[in-house]
Amino acid sequence: MAHFDVKPSVQQDIGVQDIEKAAYAQIHNAGFPDIVDCDGRPAIELDLSKHYIYSPALENNDPRTCNTVVFQFLAVSFNKTPIRNMFFTVQFYCYTAETTPILTAYQVKSNLPAILYKFQNSDQTPGCNVSFVVDPGTRANEPGQFLQHIQSGTCIIDMWNADSLFHEGSVTVKLKRLARQGEHGIQSSQVFNILNNGDSIGRLHLRIANIGSVASVHDIKDLTTSPVIDCVDQDSTAELIVRPKPLSTVDQNLTSILSSQSAQKATRNRKMERMEAVRRQEDASYIISRDENKTVRAGQLTMVKNYRNKILNDVIRGALVANITVHHTLYSVYGTVTYFEVHFRNPNVTAAQEFFISWDCQDIRLVYDMTECKALKSLFNVTTPLDPDVFDSSTQPVKFTLRPKEDIYIPFLYSSNATKEQFDYTMKITNTVNSPVQLIKLHFKQQRQIINERFMFYEAENSFAKHSLQAPSTRRPEDLSVRASNENVLCGVDEKGQVYFKAPVPKSTEMSSFLLLLYVDKNCYRPYQIWEIDLYSLKRVDMTAVVGSQTKFPVILRGTDSVRCVTCFSSHPSIIKVEPDREFMLLPSTIQEVKLLYEPTDTGSHNYMVNVVDTKNRVVVERWMVHTTASLPVVSKTYEIPLTTTVSPTHKNISFSNPYSTNKTFKLKCNKPELVKFKEEELVVASKESVNIGLIMSPLALSHPNYILVFVNDVQQKCEECFALRVG
């Protein structure tokens, strides 16, 4: 089921519906754990057949601002080949993808979906829950951003084969029914199509719930900081008071030295006391002088005094700097600009004064253009006054002049291009003699972005991945711009509205990821959509064959640093077979030959995948991308068959002669086995003799125009002769 074309995880919502009555009854009787609210009551079951009306007022006035979103995996059904063991990855909101444990599908009745159980788990409770806690105390701009997301956003669920580790398909879950509308908890049971390159391979039964609760005890105000940094309320003329502190909290080195001297003094005193006791036995009037204790104490005091004089200037300087320093925290999202202003007032009450402002970050820029500044104020809901033509951009640092006690709001724009979670920058306002007047410590905390779509590609190692993706149709190509999170990725938008990129591919078995950020505003303030691109690297193997015959190709599998029990899996076992086809031991630093058997059923070029999996640790040891090219054999004779309407199979004979001078065994095959079967799939034909090949054609083969090929192969599956059946 794995392909090498574009694999969008977010796809159109096809066939999402309520669970059928029979399937619902089976799921109910299986004993899945209830999803309950904070009071222990089952969450309210939504009726998806009713018209959905969303009320923003109910959500905004709900005191339960914390939302626990639960995805409960119930059952699965497949259109063709079922998958026994599987696991899922859930990409929800701004959280990193969560992976379920391995789940096993148990089929009770053939016409009902298979119930999911945890793999090799002694607990026989069915299903698996994946939960996400959306707490306004852990992310800025909650809960408004979350409510907006569930109205138009989706959740991406990927299904993986737990044995072969192939990606089998994806599910798109619309989130609009997660709005609780004032209820303590809601849930709904739904069926979603599992899509692979747009084709449905099965259906996933899910129960989705949202449980409301009061937000956790966090300082929510810190997560909703104002974009205006106020430096005016800082009282720089206030009296500084420095309280004495214990010596151990001031300087550990000095404390260690004094403690060492105290220990030496105690040891000396014990010796002196023993000596005094001995001398007193000899002379009762003997007394040892203790003046040396005063000498030791005086030395320690001198040491402390010298230390105090040494650090006095630094302490005073640090206290003054702390008095003019403002700390401010801003929350940024990668690819999104952060607008903030510095509110500053001229401390001089009698005269105008020139000031200079500088900063230590290349991603921060001062906004000179008043039109841009006005647009940013509107975008970030900032209502401070606009100060045009105040800043002199010809000087570095930037100069501005203020009248006595005059206020100014200095506009800045920060472009979040960093990937680390937290980083600090410093801004400094100085006067004409370069003395600091104000210091601003900016603390940026990175918040994870929301992924709108995810695409997977399988590429040959150490090559370049070149692909084009369809941009949202609601936007004109000239309005779109795109940027990649990886500087080594080239990307853009062509005249047809296709988003293209060229990215390097890592070595085999590795995966690289990057983001494509799509903007619709010319200044690229906020991305319209964010796409995640995952590149899976494989070793490339090229194979060619004739349709109907089989080609073998040996590949080398190298041992790793430890002993592994491995198994080879093919994405299309009917076309690409692997030998050995069972588990075998791969020793360290050894070479194992693996044979690939290619047996095409149609012409053209295709890509298939072979995974070598460590069956114990369930990790991929090696990946091969098999690039195949197939051509048609020479057709020796074509039989014309008219279209007929029949309900029973039709029998037909084809004459075949053995051209060899010895008896030969031949194997029969067809490119459409679902339409034509053989009375005998193996023939033993004497030298120079002729036999009839008996065909059994299904009614479907004769009711529509078809072009069917019959192959006569030798025992090595090499095509000896080919016949064609043209129906219609």
Side-chain angles (χ1 to χ4, degrees):
M1 293 181 181
H3 297 276
F4 295 85
D5 301 326
V6 179
K7 301 176 80 172
S9 290
V10 174
Q11 306 178 46
Q12 62 273 23
D13 195 10
I14 303 175
V16 178
Q17 57 186 351
D18 269 330
I19 297 179
E20 298 175 354
K21 291 182 179 179
Y24 187 87
Q26 180 196 23
I27 292 171
H28 178 76
N29 296 331
F32 285 90
D34 293 331
I35 300 177
V36 298
D37 61 20
C38 294
D39 298 327
R41 297 172 299 185
I44 296 175
E45 186 80 28
L46 298 181
D47 186 356
L48 301 182
S49 62
K50 292 184 178 180
H51 181 63
Y52 175 70
I53 301 176
Y54 174 74
S55 173
L58 288 176
E59 294 293 337
N60 294 331
N61 297 329
D62 191 349
R64 294 171 290 274
T65 56
C66 181
N67 298 273
T68 301
V69 178
V70 181
F71 295 89
Q72 188 177 64
F73 293 83
L74 305 174
V76 67
S77 59
F78 296 97
N79 299 336
K80 294 182 180 179
T81 306
I83 300 172
R84 176 70 171 174
N85 299 318
M86 67 204 74
F87 64 90
F88 299 87
T89 55
V90 184
Q91 175 70 64
F92 173 71
Y93 192 34
C94 59
Y95 299 96
T96 55
E98 289 286 336
T99 303
T100 68
I102 297 175
L103 303 176
T104 300
Y106 285 94
Q107 188 84 40
V108 180
K109 293 183 180 180
S110 59
N111 61 334
L112 293 177
I115 302 296
L116 294 174
Y117 290 85
K118 292 181 181 178
F119 178 72
Q120 292 182 349
N121 191 357
S122 58
D123 182 11
Q124 294 301 313
T125 303
C128 174
N129 289 5
V130 177
S131 301
F132 300 89
V133 179
V134 184
D135 191 338
T138 58
R139 182 177 171 86
N141 301 322
E142 295 286 8
Q145 191 177 39
F146 174 69
L147 296 178
Q148 180 182 1
H149 176 70
I150 63 176
Q151 285 304 301
S152 57
T154 57
C155 172
I156 306 167
I157 300 178
D158 289 304
M159 185 179 73
W160 302 78
N161 189 314
D163 297 321
S164 64
L165 300 184
F166 288 135
H167 179 267
E168 299 293 348
S170 303
V171 168
T172 301
V173 180
K174 290 186 176 180
L175 303 175
K176 62 182 180 180
R177 288 302 183 97
L178 284 178
R180 289 184 288 103
Q181 295 290 272
E183 300 290 349
H184 289 254
I186 55 97
Q187 62 178 330
S188 61
S189 300
Q190 303 178 47
V191 182
F192 298 90
N193 280 302
I194 305 170
L195 302 179
N196 187 312
N197 280 357
D199 298 326
S200 177
I201 65 168
R203 302 200 302 173
L204 176 65
H205 295 65
L206 277 177
R207 180 174 289 140
I208 307 168
N210 184 5
I211 306 300
S213 61
V214 178
S216 60
V217 184
H218 286 276
D219 191 0
I220 300 177
K221 292 183 180 179
D222 287 348
L223 298 181
T224 55
T225 53
S226 169
V228 179
I229 304 173
D230 197 349
C231 301
V232 173
D233 293 337
Q234 300 295 117
D235 189 2
S236 60
T237 62
E239 182 181 358
L240 293 178
I241 300 176
V242 180
R243 300 185 183 278
K245 299 178 182 179
L247 185 62
S248 59
T249 63
V250 176
D251 189 281
Q252 292 293 334
N253 292 331
L254 181 60
T255 302
S256 300
I257 294 173
L258 295 178
S259 299
S260 175
Q261 290 185 352
S262 298
Q264 294 175 1
K265 174 187 172 184
T267 302
R268 187 174 185 278
N269 286 340
R270 288 194 299 271
K271 292 180 178 179
M272 294 297 293
E273 289 174 356
R274 288 197 297 269
M275 182 182 294
E276 184 178 5
V278 172
R279 294 290 178 88
R280 281 181 179 178
Q281 290 178 357
E282 299 174 355
D283 184 358
S285 62
Y286 178 80
I287 299 176
I288 298 179
S289 175
R290 299 288 182 171
D291 291 341
E292 64 272 13
N293 291 340
K294 296 181 180 180
T295 304
V296 172
R297 189 65 176 173
Q300 291 179 339
L301 292 175
T302 302
M303 185 182 299
V304 173
K305 180 181 178 180
N306 293 337
Y307 172 79
R308 184 171 61 245
N309 292 335
K310 178 181 178 181
I311 68 170
L312 183 61
N313 291 336
D314 293 336
V315 171
I316 295 175
R317 187 182 299 107
L320 293 174
V321 169
N323 196 49
I324 63 172
T325 301
V326 174
H327 293 266
H328 195 80
T329 301
L330 293 170
Y331 295 87
S332 59
V333 178
Y334 180 79
T336 302
V337 299
T338 301
Y339 177 75
F340 64 95
E341 296 179 349
V342 175
H343 182 199
F344 177 72
R345 177 181 295 168
N346 183 2
N348 196 319
V349 298
T350 59
Q353 193 170 354
E354 290 183 349
F355 298 94
F356 300 87
I357 185 168
S358 60
W359 54 93
D360 59 354
C361 175
Q362 296 181 350
D363 295 328
I364 295 177
R365 68 176 178 89
L366 193 148
V367 183
Y368 296 100
D369 188 349
M370 290 299 104
T371 302
E372 182 184 11
C373 185
K374 186 176 181 181
L376 287 167
K377 285 177 178 286
S378 175
L379 182 63
F380 287 85
N381 297 319
V382 178
T383 58
T384 55
L386 198 65
D387 298 312
D389 304 325
V390 174
F391 306 101
D392 185 1
S393 60
S394 62
T395 62
Q396 290 297 329
V398 178
K399 183 177 72 173
F400 60 95
T401 305
L402 294 179
R403 290 174 290 190
K405 285 292 183 180
E406 184 180 12
D407 288 12
I408 189 174
Y409 292 87
I410 310 172
F412 286 96
L413 198 64
Y414 170 70
S415 299
S416 179
N417 297 317
T419 55
K420 56 184 179 180
E421 295 183 358
Q422 188 169 342
F423 35 91
D424 301 329
Y425 299 117
T426 302
M427 307 187 78
K428 181 167 64 174
I429 300 177
T430 58
N431 55 22
T432 53
V433 295
N434 201 29
S435 296
V437 180
Q438 189 72 58
L439 296 176
I440 301 104
K441 294 288 186 180
L442 297 175
H443 308 286
F444 285 94
K445 292 186 178 180
Q446 191 89 322
Q447 299 187 118
R448 197 174 188 276
Q449 62 281 339
I450 299 173
I451 304 299
N452 300 104
E453 294 197 20
R454 185 165 72 248
F455 298 88
M456 297 181 184
F457 299 91
Y458 295 98
E459 301 288 344
E461 66 174 346
N462 301 325
S463 63
F464 284 92
K466 302 176 184 178
H467 292 281
S468 295
L469 307 172
Q470 182 60 52
S473 57
T474 56
R475 302 292 177 176
R476 298 182 303 172
E478 56 268 23
D479 294 335
L480 284 174
S481 59
V482 62
R483 182 161 62 89
S485 61
N486 188 337
E487 61 182 8
N488 296 321
V489 175
L490 301 177
C491 59
V493 182
D494 61 21
E495 62 279 1
K496 297 181 181 180
Q498 296 276 337
V499 176
Y500 63 86
F501 70 87
K502 178 182 178 181
V505 181
K507 65 180 182 180
S508 179
T509 72
E510 293 184 357
M511 189 268 285
S512 64
S513 296
F514 60 91
L515 301 178
L516 290 180
L517 298 95
L518 278 64
Y519 297 90
V520 294
D521 59 291
K522 62 179 181 180
N523 295 310
C524 298
Y525 290 150
R526 292 178 178 174
Y528 169 66
Q529 283 194 355
I530 298 180
W531 296 351
E532 180 181 323
I533 309 297
D534 296 334
L535 299 179
Y536 289 86
S537 177
L538 310 91
K539 289 184 177 179
R540 174 165 171 160
V541 177
D542 293 291
M543 298 184 69
T544 60
V546 175
V547 176
S549 63
Q550 187 181 86
T551 299
K552 292 184 180 181
F553 187 84
V555 292
I556 299 301
L557 176 62
R558 298 184 181 277
T560 59
D561 55 355
S562 61
V563 178
R564 295 178 183 269
C565 292
V566 300
T567 305
C568 300
F569 296 93
S570 170
S571 61
H572 294 70
S574 62
I575 300 173
I576 299 290
K577 295 181 175 61
V578 187
E579 292 181 355
D581 58 357
R582 59 185 179 275
E583 184 181 80
F584 61 94
M585 186 172 292
L586 182 63
L587 300 177
S589 305
T590 59
I591 294 177
Q592 174 80 32
E593 183 180 270
V594 175
K595 291 183 179 179
L596 303 179
L597 286 69
Y598 173 42
E599 192 172 337
T601 57
D602 58 354
T603 59
S605 296
H606 301 278
N607 288 318
Y608 306 101
M609 186 162 63
V610 174
N611 275 359
V612 182
V613 179
D614 183 332
T615 52
K616 179 181 179 181
N617 300 311
R618 295 186 183 272
V619 295
V620 176
V621 178
E622 188 59 275
R623 282 194 181 103
W624 289 298
M625 181 178 72
V626 185
H627 179 75
T628 63
T629 303
S631 58
L632 283 176
V634 177
V635 178
S636 57
K637 189 174 183 180
T638 301
Y639 295 88
E640 300 289 342
I641 302 175
L643 290 173
T644 59
T645 303
T646 179
V647 295
S648 59
T650 301
H651 296 261
K652 185 175 180 60
N653 292 326
I654 296 177
S655 177
F656 169 72
S657 300
N658 178 10
Y660 296 98
S661 57
T662 58
N663 297 343
K664 294 280 287 186
T665 300
F666 298 94
K667 296 180 179 294
L668 303 179
K669 286 192 175 181
C670 176
N671 68 330
K672 296 183 179 181
E674 70 278 6
L675 300 179
V676 175
K677 298 187 180 303
F678 301 99
K679 293 180 180 179
E680 298 180 71
E681 294 188 352
E682 184 174 298
L683 298 176
V684 178
V685 185
S687 173
K688 306 299 182 179
E689 287 192 0
S690 298
V691 295
N692 288 327
I693 300 175
L695 305 178
I696 305 174
M697 305 183 69
S698 70
L700 186 61
L702 302 176
S703 59
H704 298 87
N706 280 298
Y707 188 74
I708 304 170
L709 298 177
V710 176
F711 309 104
V712 182
N713 297 343
D714 60 15
V715 291
Q716 283 79 33
Q717 294 296 343
K718 298 296 183 181
C719 185
E720 296 283 347
E721 195 164 358
C722 177
F723 301 99
L725 306 177
R726 192 188 305 275
V727 181

